[in-house]
Amino acid sequence: MKKNLLFLLAIVLISACWSSCRKRHRNHEAIIESSETSRVNDGKIWASIYQQRAAEYKALCFQAYNIAKLRLDMAIAKHSDKPFAVVTDIDETLLDNSHYDAARAVQNLDYDEATWKEWTGKAVADSVPGAPSFLKYAASKGVTVFYITNRGQYERSGTLKNLKHFDLPFADSLHVLFKDKSSSKEARRQQVLKTHDIVLLCGDNLPDFDALYDNQPSEANRAATTLKLAKEFGSRYIIIPNLSYGDFEGALFNFKYDLTPVQKDSVIIDKIRTGDNR
């Protein structure tokens, strides 16, 4: 009798689990079938899963920060009249926001300021591989870290909380420089240069490094500037891969941020190089 009851109980539990799994699977299918995801957001889904799952992404980040460590050691071996500093961006350079990007993309939705503010307020972003250990290493060598971000002043509390979660050095209001009026980071870099010698800059978006990238009108201009600054990358500029968003996306759409998903898809089809369109 007891064996029969145990057997029936096991059957009930297995059935409940199977029903729950099938329900979750159907929900995922419903999202995919109903959304008719645009090419833009479909691309963001792939970018996010690459960032979250690909060992190659982690390897690229470790490679970048290993180079950063070597370049830092070389730089601080030289004399300077000012204390040394490293300047780093935050999003996709130090903090991984792929969960936000993925959550929007699977619903066929793009970036939205209100939901982004909600996300940063949670202070739950993961760290980019290699970034925390590099910044801690820099601090251990007496190098000051400045975080120059285009997060807004209203994101201060959540941002500082997220940085402190990883015990990052100099994670305070004095060293985290938020966006005020302009998205250009040049004025804030110049602010740091008044008191420090910036030996390295880390970022995922080219305006994180040089004012020459500010207000670039086209993809061609960005490419020409990158060719001009080629020797700086891997030397003084350390770039982290970000496939999800950035000025590369703005340039692709001629910085027309009000384009519809259909219009964006049309631009992508027109610009992508295929065997028939080289």
Side-chain angles (χ1 to χ4, degrees):
M1 184 71 174
K2 186 180 290 186
K3 288 184 178 179
N4 289 337
L5 287 173
L6 289 173
F7 178 76
L8 288 172
L9 180 60
I11 292 295
V12 170
L13 289 173
I14 291 171
S15 298
C17 180
W18 175 250
S19 176
S20 176
C21 290
R22 288 191 65 186
K23 184 177 179 180
R24 287 169 58 193
H25 182 68
R26 285 196 301 270
N27 288 340
H28 289 164
E29 285 184 335
I31 290 172
I32 295 169
E33 290 176 359
S34 65
S35 65
E36 297 182 359
T37 312
S38 70
R39 287 183 173 88
V40 171
N41 285 323
D42 189 50
K44 290 180 183 292
I45 291 172
W46 277 100
S48 295
I49 202 165
Y50 178 83
Q51 190 165 330
Q52 293 174 10
R53 298 289 184 174
E56 289 83 355
Y57 169 76
K58 294 178 176 62
L60 285 169
C61 295
F62 286 134
Q63 175 177 264
Y65 284 113
N66 286 341
I67 293 171
K69 183 177 178 181
L70 292 172
R71 294 305 187 189
L72 180 69
D73 288 341
M74 292 172 63
I76 63 178
K78 301 175 183 178
H79 172 74
S80 175
D81 293 330
K82 300 177 182 178
F84 294 113
V86 166
V87 166
T88 182
D89 173 53
I90 291 180
D91 296 311
E92 276 40 81
T93 302
L94 174 56
L95 294 182
D96 175 353
N97 300 288
S98 60
H99 290 79
Y100 169 82
D101 297 325
R104 299 292 292 173
V106 296
Q107 299 178 67
N108 203 21
L109 298 171
D110 208 337
Y111 169 88
D112 171 77
E113 188 173 355
T115 55
W116 171 256
K117 181 180 178 181
E118 181 182 349
W119 163 256
T120 58
K122 292 178 180 177
V124 294
D126 201 354
S127 62
V128 169
S133 60
F134 168 68
L135 295 179
K136 291 174 185 178
Y137 176 79
S140 75
K141 294 293 182 179
V143 177
T144 305
V145 178
F146 286 92
Y147 306 83
I148 299 183
T149 177
N150 274 347
R151 290 189 177 197
Q153 297 289 343
Y154 56 85
E155 297 173 274
R156 180 180 296 274
S157 177
T159 301
L160 293 177
K161 181 180 178 181
N162 211 157
L163 297 180
K164 289 176 181 178
H165 174 74
F166 298 105
D167 297 318
L168 293 170
F170 302 98
D172 55 49
S173 293
L174 182 63
H175 296 89
V176 183
L177 307 181
F178 293 86
K179 176 182 174 181
D180 190 7
K181 295 179 180 179
S182 173
S183 60
S184 171
K185 296 184 174 182
E186 181 60 17
R188 283 170 283 172
R189 286 192 291 263
Q190 291 299 322
Q191 180 181 332
V192 175
L193 282 169
K194 290 178 181 178
T195 55
H196 290 75
D197 181 2
I198 299 175
V199 293
L200 275 181
L201 296 101
C202 303
D204 66 292
N205 194 34
L206 293 175
D208 293 334
F209 303 106
D210 200 294
L212 290 174
Y213 286 110
D214 289 345
N215 302 314
Q216 287 281 3
S218 69
E219 292 177 279
N221 287 98
R222 300 182 88 243
T225 300
T226 302
L227 184 61
K228 180 179 179 180
L229 298 175
K231 292 183 179 179
E232 297 289 351
F233 294 100
S235 177
R236 190 164 174 263
Y237 300 162
I238 304 298
I239 190 161
I240 308 302
N242 176 6
L243 284 68
S244 293
Y245 66 91
D247 278 21
F248 84 90
E249 186 180 14
L252 184 67
F253 302 124
N254 294 318
F255 297 96
K256 295 178 180 178
Y257 296 108
D258 59 345
L259 293 181
T260 67
V262 172
Q263 290 173 322
K264 288 182 178 180
D265 284 356
S266 179
V267 171
I268 289 173
I269 291 300
D270 181 60
K271 291 191 174 184
I272 192 71
R273 293 176 181 172
T274 66
D276 299 322
N277 176 23
R278 298 184 179 181

